[in-house]
Amino acid sequence: MAESARFPLFRLLVLSGAIFVSVTSEFLPTGLLPDMAAELGVSESQIGLLITVFAGTVVVSTAPLTVLTRNYSRKWLMVLLLGAFALTNLLCAIAPTYEVLLVARVLGGLAHGLFWAVTGPYASLLVPRHQLARAISVTNAGGTFAFILGVPLGTALGHALGWRAAFGVMAGVVVIFALLVVLFLPPVSHRVSLATAELAIPVRRDRTIAAVAIVCATVVLLITGHNSFYTYIAPWAIEVGGVAPDGVAGLLFAYGAAGAIGLVLAGIFGDRFPRASVAVALAGVVASVAALGAIGTSPPAVVAGMVAWSVFFGGLPALLHARVLHSASERIRDLAAASLTTAFNLAIGGGALLGGLLLDNYGLTVLPWSAVAIITLAFAFTVMTDRRRVAAHRPQLFAPGHSGSAVVPDP
């Protein structure tokens, strides 16, 4: 880990760009769904299934692939995975049938989960611990800007030149960022030297596993609640909030831009007040979504509520990513990042499924309240387990006469 206090902003921005192209590749089909369905002669729901298949592949493959590749160079593994993203985008661009497109998305999912398991720990090796939340906020900005710029620009390109051209251009952009990684990111030593007593403790008995599990459970609750409502925000905004159909794009852009503000705030306060930042953000999400459910019946109220929701939510993925890396001992950081990626994707799919069931059975108006209930549960779980989480990643105790590597808890 870097000991210098100088913040490696440029290197982190290169890593952020790599994340930008990864997330843009994942969600590009959402904006091109009608065009793809029409040309390939399948239903729009079948194209939507490409997102589900991608997320499902991430869930089942991330942990085993992380274990299999744990001894490989982090930098060159990242380059290889970016090459896989370029290849899958190229396959999408030339896919003659829906089945080939489906195979390409499975390959993309295999690369995506491992990519996230590599990038978080890699960023942590570039900075000292007291800069970790700030570093993760910079790198996670790539994911935020994928929604603000990447997917909208890819969609516009697809509408102008055809959806295949959008995937082809995306493949080229991924190659550019792979070259930037080769040129500007340094090799890092991710292998941990263990004391004799630590070697005697198998990984499955690492005390910090409990702390990692607590963070992942928080993610599952938070993202399930969030996605149970956000997945269906367009029909809710139109039918309940009174937003004109052609105003939804602007609403989503405002939501994405507000999320960037939340990410900046997470970078400013996350290192100084890590526990309070998560608690305040969760409480703010609950209050904002509840306000939308109560008074979101006019366009101004919907815009205000969604902007507030996004400001509070925008920094939470970065804060929780930093928290899981703080919580894990160094020898399980890769597995911790893989577990967090799995938790996010499980909740993304589960939240969309839950929201769909609620929509079919109870209508749109119930969605914000179901989200409030689940995110409130996430808030309560976080408060109730925080002492347990901190205790779980204090330095492990070893037999007299042995020394172990201390894991410093966040404040």
Side-chain angles (χ1 to χ4, degrees):
M1 185 183 299
E3 296 296 336
S4 172
R6 184 176 180 180
F7 191 69
L9 180 60
F10 179 74
R11 290 175 173 177
L12 292 169
L13 287 174
V14 171
L15 195 57
S16 180
I19 291 173
F20 171 84
V21 294
S22 167
V23 175
T24 302
S25 297
E26 179 181 7
F27 288 98
L28 189 56
T30 58
L32 302 172
L33 190 149
D35 310 72
M36 296 171 70
E39 182 178 331
L40 293 171
V42 298
S43 67
E44 293 185 353
S45 63
Q46 285 178 281
I47 299 298
L49 185 63
L50 296 175
I51 301 294
T52 305
V53 166
F54 192 103
T57 304
V58 171
V59 169
V60 300
S61 69
T62 300
L65 287 177
T66 300
V67 172
L68 289 172
T69 59
R70 61 187 172 185
N71 292 324
Y72 290 89
S73 162
R74 302 294 90 179
K75 172 180 175 175
W76 294 107
L77 183 56
M78 198 186 313
V79 172
L80 177 64
L81 293 170
L82 286 168
F85 290 142
L87 176 61
T88 57
N89 278 291
L90 184 60
L91 286 175
C92 288
I94 64 175
T97 65
Y98 175 78
E99 289 73 21
V100 173
L101 199 61
L102 199 63
V103 170
R105 296 297 289 177
V106 169
L107 293 175
L110 290 172
H112 185 80
L114 182 57
F115 178 80
W116 277 96
V118 170
T119 53
Y122 183 95
S124 74
L125 294 169
L126 295 177
V127 297
R129 291 183 67 87
H130 68 273
Q131 293 180 341
L132 184 56
R134 183 181 172 195
I136 295 297
S137 294
V138 171
T139 58
N140 279 23
T144 298
F145 280 94
F147 290 104
I148 297 174
L149 295 175
V151 175
L153 287 176
T155 300
L157 181 64
H159 290 324
L161 303 177
W163 65 268
R164 294 183 184 276
F167 280 103
V169 170
M170 193 70 239
V173 174
V174 173
V175 170
I176 291 172
F177 277 97
L179 291 174
L180 290 175
V181 169
V182 171
L183 292 172
F184 296 110
L185 291 188
V188 294
S189 177
H190 67 287
R191 296 179 179 88
V192 181
S193 297
L194 300 178
T196 303
E198 289 177 294
L199 289 171
I201 301 176
V203 169
R204 67 178 183 276
R205 292 182 57 194
D206 189 302
R207 281 183 54 184
T208 65
I209 289 175
V212 171
I214 287 170
V215 180
C216 290
T218 301
V219 166
V220 169
L221 290 171
L222 168 64
I223 303 302
T224 297
H226 172 83
N227 268 50
S228 69
F229 182 25
Y230 183 75
T231 301
Y232 305 95
I233 196 65
W236 182 89
I238 293 168
E239 297 182 32
V240 179
V243 176
D246 58 2
V248 171
L251 177 67
L252 294 179
F253 178 81
Y255 180 90
I261 296 172
L263 190 62
V264 170
L265 293 174
I268 294 172
F269 296 106
D271 284 317
R272 285 185 286 175
F273 311 104
R275 296 165 72 182
S277 295
V278 171
V280 169
L282 285 169
V285 171
V286 170
S288 303
V289 177
L292 275 172
I295 62 173
T297 55
S298 66
V302 171
V303 171
M306 286 197 64
V307 165
W309 176 11
S310 188
V311 167
F312 285 110
F313 179 81
L316 273 169
L319 290 171
L320 292 169
H321 202 159
R323 173 167 286 194
V324 85
L325 293 175
H326 268 300
S327 298
S329 66
E330 291 189 9
R331 67 172 175 173
I332 68 163
R333 272 187 168 180
D334 286 359
L335 289 174
S339 299
L340 192 73
T341 299
T342 300
F344 267 105
N345 281 274
L346 184 65
I348 288 169
L353 177 61
L354 175 62
L357 293 172
L358 291 170
L359 173 61
D360 290 341
N361 289 281
Y362 301 103
L364 286 165
T365 55
V366 77
L367 295 183
W369 299 112
S370 66
V372 165
I374 299 171
I375 299 170
T376 298
L377 185 60
F379 174 78
F381 177 80
T382 300
V383 173
M384 292 169 59
T385 60
D386 217 25
R387 288 183 180 274
R388 173 73 179 91
R389 179 185 62 83
V390 171
H393 69 96
R394 283 178 181 147
Q396 300 192 40
L397 299 178
F398 301 100
H402 292 288
S403 62
S405 60
V407 179
V408 182
D410 54 341

